[in-house]
Amino acid sequence: MAPSHALRCCKRALNWIPVLFINLVVGWSYYAYVVELCVYTIPNNTERISYLVLFHIFFTMFIWSYWKTIWSKPESPSKTFCLPRAEKELFEREERAETQQEILKKVAKNLPVYTRTAGGAVRYCDHCQVIKPDRCHHCSTCEMCVLKMDHHCPWVNNCVGFSNYKYFVLFLTYAALYCVVICATVIQYFLKFWTKVLPDTHAKFHVLFLFFVAALFFVSVLSLLGYHLWLVGKNRTTIEAFRAPVFANGPDKNGFSLGFKRNAAEVFGDQGKYWMFPVSSNLGDGHSFVTRLVHIDPERANGILQQNGKSPADGKPDPCVHGNNIQYTADDSKENIEGGQIDSVKVENEQ
């Protein structure tokens, strides 16, 4: 039985508890640093002002990226990945799984879909009634399919995926730097309070506790940040790190890796001036992705690189920009193979 509307509302309200906790901790850290440390403890005006300026720079970037991660709505597959009306009626009437798969394969031939289930079947979401694009997964918490889903994060009460993965990485980066700034500027007063060089005041508790909390959060955030930077370099999601994507010829954990530079560009964009700001600059549309020259679906292009399911049709070599705006040199020549034709695509090796 489906849960009642009241239970759903309660569940959604409870999901905001971790976010509320983080915001309360950050709010207290702001008070402890600005009021208790800078106003009541630091005697020198020059030091006080310099600390406040430095603190507010990283505090602003941290909050900006954090709230962008929270409020960026996860993107779901477009209607293109829904079954056409005729095929949908056939699919719903059919009881045999084998015949249903034949229907899905027929529709998937016209879509830039190259990954399969572990059993080799077309990935289809019964709940959302869509053929899942590559790297798309269904989130049971958000109750929707999420493009390039990485994971559902309770600390932001949101799915981390194509629409906000850059913001999430920046959130972790600025959270770590925020903690570093606090620890580096508080430590001298922490030691003075600890060794009783400074008298016991109401600021003592806040300064001591602020240092401990910042150091603790730094260690935990740094490990998570390091892991996700590694994922960016490998062009993997958390899901793919634990379960390699399956192509027609089998699983390939490096199936979407194009080299460090191109992998980073997919997340942060190809213009470095936007990398450190939580603004949209990632490449592509989240529905299709360039893959390596391995494990390509033989039904579409035997041994040929997928390039977002698109290639020029004029038969001339042409520098083309695909769905993720990464430039390649493509040669769209027609070759007869076993009585059929395929599109031949060549990609220059990254230097």
Side-chain angles (χ1 to χ4, degrees):
M1 179 181 295
S4 66
H5 179 71
L7 289 177
R8 286 176 178 267
C9 292
C10 290
K11 181 181 177 182
R12 290 173 182 172
L14 291 174
N15 288 339
W16 285 102
I17 291 178
V19 177
L20 178 62
F21 172 76
I22 292 295
N23 280 273
L24 288 175
V25 172
V26 173
W28 166 80
S29 70
Y30 184 89
Y31 167 79
Y33 191 93
V34 173
V35 178
E36 298 294 345
L37 176 68
C38 292
V39 175
Y40 292 133
T41 304
I42 299 177
N44 185 280
N45 283 331
T46 302
E47 182 182 8
R48 179 186 295 120
I49 293 173
S50 61
Y51 279 15
L52 285 172
V53 171
L54 182 65
F55 173 83
H56 279 93
I57 290 174
F58 287 97
F59 175 80
T60 301
M61 298 303 294
F62 167 46
I63 293 298
W64 186 9
S65 56
Y66 181 52
W67 283 96
K68 286 284 284 187
T69 307
I70 293 175
W71 296 112
S72 295
K73 184 179 179 180
E75 293 190 23
S76 57
S78 67
K79 294 181 179 180
T80 305
F81 290 83
C82 297
L83 295 178
R85 180 177 298 179
E87 283 76 6
K88 184 178 180 181
E89 292 177 355
L90 289 173
F91 182 85
E92 291 176 347
R93 287 200 305 263
E94 185 58 54
E95 296 180 357
R96 293 173 297 177
E98 296 82 1
T99 308
Q100 287 182 330
Q101 270 300 305
E102 291 302 321
I103 297 173
L104 293 177
K105 286 181 179 180
K106 179 182 177 181
V107 177
K109 284 183 178 181
N110 300 317
L111 297 172
V113 175
Y114 295 89
T115 54
R116 297 290 187 262
T117 66
V122 175
R123 300 189 317 126
Y124 183 77
C125 179
D126 292 310
H127 183 83
C128 300
Q129 297 185 331
V130 294
I131 293 176
K132 295 179 183 178
D134 292 344
R135 317 184 84 174
C136 175
H137 298 274
H138 185 84
C139 176
S140 58
T141 304
C142 295
E143 298 181 346
M144 63 181 292
C145 283
V146 179
L147 296 180
K148 196 186 178 184
M149 179 177 174
D150 187 88
H151 68 289
H152 185 91
C153 180
W155 300 108
V156 299
N157 190 29
N158 199 4
C159 257
V160 177
F162 176 78
S163 63
N164 63 353
Y165 187 63
K166 175 190 175 182
Y167 308 148
F168 178 75
V169 175
L170 289 180
F171 154 58
L172 295 178
T173 301
Y174 287 118
L177 292 175
Y178 179 69
C179 293
V180 168
V181 168
I182 290 176
C183 289
T185 54
V186 168
I187 188 169
Q188 61 170 314
Y189 296 99
F190 169 85
L191 294 174
K192 289 178 180 180
F193 276 121
W194 190 266
T195 57
K196 300 187 183 302
V197 173
L198 290 176
D200 290 346
T201 62
H202 56 82
K204 179 178 181 179
F205 165 79
H206 291 282
V207 172
L208 294 179
F209 200 54
L210 180 63
F211 180 84
F212 280 123
V213 171
L216 181 63
F217 270 79
F218 172 74
V219 172
S220 59
V221 169
L222 185 63
S223 59
L224 188 59
L225 172 62
Y227 176 68
H228 279 279
L229 290 177
W230 178 79
L231 290 178
V232 170
K234 296 291 184 180
N235 203 342
R236 299 177 195 169
T237 64
T238 299
I239 294 174
E240 292 165 354
F242 287 95
R243 184 174 66 248
V246 179
F247 295 86
N249 295 341
D252 180 13
K253 63 181 180 180
N254 294 317
F256 296 105
S257 181
L258 304 170
F260 179 80
K261 184 177 180 180
R262 291 174 182 170
N263 293 345
E266 279 201 5
V267 176
F268 294 100
D270 51 8
Q271 299 186 54
K273 61 183 179 181
Y274 297 120
W275 280 28
M276 299 311 294
F277 296 96
V279 295
S280 179
S281 62
N282 57 333
L283 303 181
D285 59 5
H287 289 85
S288 56
F289 300 88
V290 180
T291 64
R292 300 191 311 147
L293 282 169
V294 294
H295 296 168
I296 303 302
D297 190 341
E299 296 178 1
R300 296 297 302 274
N302 190 9
I304 304 299
L305 176 68
Q306 169 209 351
Q307 295 206 4
N308 284 3
K310 301 176 183 177
S311 58
D314 56 8
K316 298 179 182 179
D318 180 44
C320 56
V321 181
H322 296 272
N324 58 5
N325 297 329
I326 302 177
Q327 288 194 353
Y328 302 93
T329 299
D331 177 16
D332 185 41
S333 61
K334 297 293 185 180
E335 300 177 311
N336 292 322
I337 296 181
E338 297 179 357
Q341 291 183 330
I342 64 171
D343 293 335
S344 176
V345 181
K346 297 178 182 178
V347 176
E348 297 177 348
N349 292 331
E350 183 179 358
Q351 300 297 327

